[in-house]
Amino acid sequence: MNSTVLTGCTVVDARVLDGVAPLRDAAVWVRGDRIAAVGPADDVLAEAGRDHRRVDLGGAFVTPGLANMHTHLSLSLPGQGGDAVKGLSPHDLAFYMADGARRTLLCGVTTVRCVAEKDHADFALRRAVTAGRAAGPRIFTAGRALVSTGGHGHEGTDTLECDGADGFRQGVRSQVKAGADLIKVMISGGIAGEHEDIDTRQLFTDELTAVIETAHAWGRKVTAHAGPAPVIAEAVELGLDCVEHGYQLTPEVVAAMAARGTALVPTLLVTRCKAFFDELGVPEWMQRRSLGAGPRHLESYALALAAGVEVLLGSDMPPFWDFEGTNATVRELEHMSDAGLGPARALYAGTLGPIRWLGAEADLGTVEPGKYADLIAMDADPLESTSAFRGVRWVMSGGRIVRDDQNGRAAL
C-alpha cells in the first residue's frame, strides 16, 4: 500500500465554521487512497514510521478538493461552439468529455455533480474514472434531465422529453435504471431557450409531484432548473431538494426554502459571462436575456443568503474553462463570496456543503482520517480571500498526486 506524508502545510477545511481552527505546521499521512492521520508534523511522522514517501508542500494551505454541483461536460449552448459539440460522433463525444474531466481535476475540482449530459456518456465516463482508465473527478450524475415536450433544453440528447404524470414517472425510473445518483428536471424556461422566457412554466402540478415522489421513493434527490418564484414555491412545497439558478426569487420563496432545507446552486456566472458567450459565438438574443437578468439574479442570491438558504458551488460553465484569469469554478466561488457569502462560508459552499447534499460526507469534504485523500494546496489563505483558490498548484485525488506545479509538471 502506498504511503505518503505531506509536510510543510497548514490544514484548513469547512469545520472552521464549527470552531475547528486551521492546523499550522501540520502533516497529513495518506495511506493508499485515504487519509490515515492529520496533526502536528512530528506526531504524524512518528505515527507513519519509516516506510513512506515524504512530500514537502512548502508552506501551502491544504484544503479538500472543490466540488462543482452544476457541471455539464457535454455543454452545447446555441452558437458555433455549441454546434461543434452537437456534431460530435458518440466516440468523439466520449473523448471530448474525458478531456474535460481531466482538465477539471487538474484545476482542483475533485468532485462534480453532472446535471444533464449527452447520450448517457456520463455513466461510461464515471465507470472509466472509477476503474482508473480515465483521469477525472468523482462523478455524481443525473443522466439526462427531464423536460416537457418542447421544454427547456429539449433540442439535445442530454434531456429526455416527458409528458403527463405517468410520463415523468417513467422518465425518473429510466434515469435510475441507467444509474443516476439524482434526478434533474426543468420546471421553467431559461436563458438558452429561444422560444421561451425565464418565467415560462413548463410542468403542471401532477407532473412535478410525480417527479419528486418517484425520485424520493427510489432514494434519489431532485434538483430543478428553475427561474421564477411561483413555480419554485410550488416545487419547494412538494419537497424539491435543490434549485438551480433561482433568477427571480422572492422573500417568501427563500423563507420557504430555508425552512424546508432546499438548497440553492445560484450559478451567478451565467448572467455575467459575456466573454464566454462571445468565445462560443452565442447569439445576441441569448446574450441579452442572460446579461439582462444579471441584476435581478444577484438580488435573488442576496435574498437567499439573508434567509439562511444553503448555497452550494456550481458554475454551469465547464468547470475548467479559462475565464477572467482563473477557471470557471473558482470565478463562480469568488462571485458567491464577494456577493455576501465571505471566504469561510465560501469554503463550505465549495467543499463540505456539496458533499453533504450528495450524502458522501463519510468519505469526502474534510481533511480527516478515514476520508478519501482528495486534497488541493495553494500558497494563499482561503480564509483570508476566496481568490486564494486561483493559486491552486498541487492536486491529489484518491491518494495519487495528479498535479505538482512546484516540480514543474502535471502528472496527467
Side-chain angles (χ1 to χ4, degrees), residues 19 26 32 34 70 115 146 156 213 238 242 276 294 319 333 357 359 363 365:
R34 293 187 182 257
H70 195 118
V115 286
L146 307 183
E213 284 186 349
L238 291 171
C242 188
F276 173 67
L333 197 59
W357 193 95
D363 292 315

Side-chain angles (χ1 to χ4, degrees), residues 144-145 147-161 186 193-196 202:
R144 298 171 73 181
V147 303
S148 61
T149 294
H152 184 74
H154 73 278
E155 307 91 344
T157 60
D158 49 0
T159 58
L160 177 66
E161 288 182 307
M186 311 294 205
E194 186 172 7
H195 304 296
E196 65 189 24
Q202 297 193 347

Side-chain angles (χ1 to χ4, degrees), residues 297-307 339:
H297 192 187
L298 206 58
E299 290 173 8
S300 294
Y301 175 68
L303 288 173
L305 292 184

Side-chain angles (χ1 to χ4, degrees), residues 241-247 249 254 257 262-267 300-301 304-305 309-313 336:
D241 301 291
C242 188
V243 172
E244 308 297 311
H245 313 304
Y247 300 118
L249 300 175
V254 295
M257 291 174 64
T262 307
L264 172 67
V265 179
T267 66
S300 294
Y301 175 68
L305 292 184
V309 173
E310 181 162 20
V311 295
L312 307 173
L313 169 64
M336 294 174 70

Side-chain angles (χ1 to χ4, degrees), residues 189-244:
I191 63 175
E194 186 172 7
H195 304 296
E196 65 189 24
D197 293 317
I198 287 175
D199 59 359
T200 301
R201 181 190 179 100
Q202 297 193 347
L203 268 71
F204 291 111
T205 302
D206 62 334
E207 295 172 319
L208 186 52
T209 300
V211 171
I212 295 172
E213 284 186 349
T214 307
H216 287 177
W218 284 88
R220 303 308 195 273
K221 289 183 176 180
V222 180
T223 193
H225 164 98
V231 69
I232 294 173
E234 181 179 34
V236 170
E237 180 69 22
L238 291 171
L240 182 69
D241 301 291
C242 188
V243 172
E244 308 297 311

Side-chain angles (χ1 to χ4, degrees), residues 20 113 116 118 121 124 126 134 140 167 226 228 266-267 317 348 411:
V20 179
R113 188 186 68 166
K118 291 178 171 51
R126 184 179 63 185
F140 295 80
T267 66
M317 288 171 55
Y348 177 90

